[in-house]
Amino acid sequence: MTSPPGAAAFSSDGHGANAATGVLLSHGFTGSPVSLAAWARHLADQGYAVSLPLLPGHGTTWQDLARTPWERWYESYDGAYQQLAGRTDRVVAAGLSMGGTLALRLAAHRPVAGVAVVNPGLTIDDPRARYSGLLKYVLRSVPAIGNNIKLAGQDEGAYSRTPVGGVHQLMRLFRDTTASLPRITAPVIVFRSAVDPVVPESSMDVLRRHLGSGLEVVPLENSYHVATMDHDAPLIFDRSHQFIQRISAGAAA
């Protein structure tokens, strides 16, 4: 598989007053940094120190992803956190879909200043997913979930197939993260698409149940799952910047 332009990891050292705040981003399952490249550049333009890693098992082939345990995705994200935290005063965890799951898990285990996630996953509607640990031996892959974008002409650089072995790891990550949600104390903002065929509303139900009043939800009325590349992307960029400014100001006070 040849990775599309922008599929590589992205980082920025930051500049000006906002350089003291780092923003750690993560793309989603089967995706690539392409899906968050514009968001990352927008935040970097505001002066934040930004890190957007390419997760293990991604950017190559879906067969690689099928062999990658979820712990390696998280270790990569956590390693990027440690590097970013070492050169900033505070870090905001952010991500799309499964990347949002990683951001939430990080917030439960690391001292982050805030969490900004887009359509984060914690559940899967497809009843076959619960049997993916067994199905992976007889069914290697299923149709792709990538490029669920309302805006025409967009390509997030996702795999052409979804590995069932990877779905098994995704389910394990969801269970682990759900169990750790009560440990989150940082403010959380969620950007939620009104129409999302990939992440079911039950994921939001889980978040609301565990985070309650600590959860701020921003509805996205004109985007599908990959909202960071969709019609509502400017809203995500602006509101996340405002959110980061607010918590940065509070931390510096």
Side-chain angles (χ1 to χ4, degrees), residues 104-116:
L104 290 163
R105 189 182 193 279
L106 186 79
H109 295 274
R110 295 288 190 181
V112 303
V115 182

Side-chain angles (χ1 to χ4, degrees), residues 150-187:
K150 188 175 184 180
L151 180 63
Q154 302 298 300
D155 183 358
E156 66 165 323
Y159 286 147
S160 58
R161 300 286 295 178
T162 299
V164 176
V167 173
H168 176 54
Q169 294 301 316
L170 188 65
M171 291 290 291
R172 293 182 62 226
L173 171 62
F174 286 177
R175 286 193 294 268
D176 182 275
T177 301
T178 297
S180 68
L181 288 177
R183 300 175 59 177
I184 297 176
T185 58

Side-chain angles (χ1 to χ4, degrees), residues 78-104:
D78 183 65
Y81 163 83
Q82 294 182 59
Q83 292 183 356
L84 197 55
R87 57 188 174 90
T88 59
D89 293 341
R90 68 198 64 88
V91 174
V92 174
L96 165 69
S97 194
M98 182 266 283
T101 315
L102 295 178
L104 290 163

